[in-house]
Amino acid sequence: MTRTVASHAFTDQRPGTSGLRKKVAHFKQPHYLANFVQAIFDTIDATGQTLVVGGDGRYFNTEAIEIILRIAAANGIGRILVGQDGLLSTPAVSCIIRKHRAHGGIVLSASHNPGGPQGDFGIKYNIGNGGPAPEKLTEAIYARSQQITGYRVVDGDIPSLTKPGKAQLDAMQIEIIDSVADYAQLMQQLFDFDRLKDFIKTCDLRFDAMHAVTGPYATRILGDLLGVQRDWILNSTPLPDFGGGHPDPNPAHAEELMHLLWQDHGPVFGAASDGDGDRNMILGHKLAVSPSDSLAVLAANAKLVPGYRDGITGIARSMPTSQASDVVAEALHIPCFETPTGWKFFGNLLDANQVTLCGEESYGTSSNHVREKDGLWAVLFWLNLLAVRGQTVTAILKDHWRRFGRHYYSRHDYEALDSNIANSMIEELRRDIAGLSGKSFGARTIRAADDFTYHDPIDGSVSAKQGVRLLFEGGARIVVRLSGTGTEGATLRLYLESYQADPAKHDLDPQLALADLIDIAENVIGIKRQSGRQQPDVVT
Ligand code: VG1
Ligand code: CO
């Protein structure tokens, strides 16, 4: 039976970089999640259609799925595919939407943010191409959420999600599906699994699932299909609080893996994935690959991997991501696009076949096989490259730098700043932009400065205020923007990049190579001066 529950609008339901993210306690307020879900259904019109639903298994995942199922049934959704145990990685949702021609899907995740009762929760709508809803749609959902006065629900038994099978909720069919099968099949189409199996017998490696959603995927694909030893797949059981950790695969948060790779006779390959399985970190022995470099290396070597044997049509990177991939695109005579931060901006370019590979500096890389970034895909891509080239990660990276030059790169995050201070810092910088070009600081001269505006070449939409850029002669850059995924105060991200062509200077610590830019950033923006912070919270 369908009934309507009266509620009132919440003013803070505008999705950020990747969906709506708030503290768990905020999401658990009566009607908060239900309102947003009703706003999605009011906006998309999926009556009689198929949707996909799953999450990264964090605290509140199962309760949220139950709420979504009740509202979906009451809104006339025909069929819902739900991941077993409520689990689906973000790239798997994308894969399943595409394969089963679903109308769209709902991803429950706050990605790399910590989970548990005190942690974060999130919800995101993906469209029929498998990718995050574009801004036009997220804005429409937000607008609807501001007018909502109630939502519809169906009462009745919700099936247990622990086993694959079919059930009914009112007129809606619920299909509980194997969370891994479709995704694993796609990976087998893209990579040379026979070769990988042989290679893996010879390779000392570790994969860290960080107690997040990639556990079951890594166990099936790396373990069962490729023969990686079980104890080399670390933290493979998804936990509602990610074992108390921060499921962000970077050198700062993947401490256990870093420790193993930095041992004298440690493994030669290491990788990790985030809460929802869309990020990846790649490590060699005592070496962390910068995500921007990773995109460039994959692009330069794509033809060695079966799924990309015919070459790539183009590359897209988010604006703050280093220009390492631009240099590769130039050498390959293919276009390179610069988009705002967030995977939703890659969808149009991928759908129009303008690009094959996409990447972000925030440990995100993927291709046209789905419309999300894809952690395990990047790991398999690297392993396939190592197998074909018969070289270590370190050798491949150094060879890449010799050929294309090195883009030293780093991101400094200042977390949970007072929002007023952070906003006024950015506003002040915007006011100063006009006067900055032509200014010199030591050996560096600012060639141009602006606040990045993106003109989508496919649908003509315009996204302004995407980050302040200081562009220096010779290609160095300083970029500053505020995060759109945080849930506490404001997080300010400072991105630093400097190009070095000379191979004799390719072995510096990035913080040293970027030291003068770091000083210039402080001089111009004054983050430390204005926030009172002595240093960034996270350096990657
Ligand atoms: C961050 C990253 C961005 C990424 C987004 C979602 O956004 O910088 O590159 O797309 O997280 O990643 P922001 O606005 O905080 O800088 V995930 O793995 O949350 O889906
Ligand atoms: Co993520």
Side-chain angles (χ1 to χ4, degrees), residues 13-16 19 36 39-46 51 103-106 124-145 344-345 348 459 461:
Q13 296 203 321
R14 173 174 265 139
F36 191 74
I40 294 176
F41 290 137
D42 286 348
T43 312
I44 62 173
D45 187 18
L51 289 182
H103 187 81
I106 294 177
K124 184 173 79 162
Y125 181 70
N126 280 26
I127 58 175
N129 74 354
E135 270 193 332
K136 212 174 125 204
L137 183 51
T138 57
E139 280 300 308
I141 293 170
Y142 169 64
R144 179 64 202 141
S145 78
K344 57 178 173 251
F345 295 102
N348 279 345
D459 69 10
S461 60

Side-chain angles (χ1 to χ4, degrees), residues 111 274 276 278-279:
S111 187
D274 72 331
D276 60 328
D278 58 357
R279 296 186 178 206

Side-chain angles (χ1 to χ4, degrees), residues 295 314-318 325 335-339 346 349 355 357-359:
L295 173 65
I315 310 171
R317 61 162 175 84
S318 69
S325 48
C336 183
F337 297 85
E338 187 174 44
T339 58
F346 293 133
L349 293 167
V355 299
L357 296 184
C358 304

Side-chain angles (χ1 to χ4, degrees), residues 17-18 21 90 110-113 124 274 276 278-279 318 341-343 360-362 372-373 411 481-486 493 495:
T17 310
S18 183
R21 287 188 192 169
T90 290
S111 187
H112 52 291
N113 297 7
K124 184 173 79 162
D274 72 331
D276 60 328
D278 58 357
R279 296 186 178 206
S318 69
T341 295
W343 211 263
E360 294 193 277
E361 51 66 39
S362 54
E372 284 279 6
K373 52 187 190 259
R411 182 175 108 182
R481 58 180 282 281
L482 295 178
S483 155
T485 59
R493 305 203 195 283
Y495 309 83

Side-chain angles (χ1 to χ4, degrees), residues 374-393:
D374 189 346
L376 210 43
W377 167 91
V379 176
L380 292 168
F381 203 133
W382 266 96
L383 286 171
N384 205 147
L385 282 189
L386 298 185
V388 174
R389 287 187 50 162
Q391 286 173 303
T392 62
V393 174

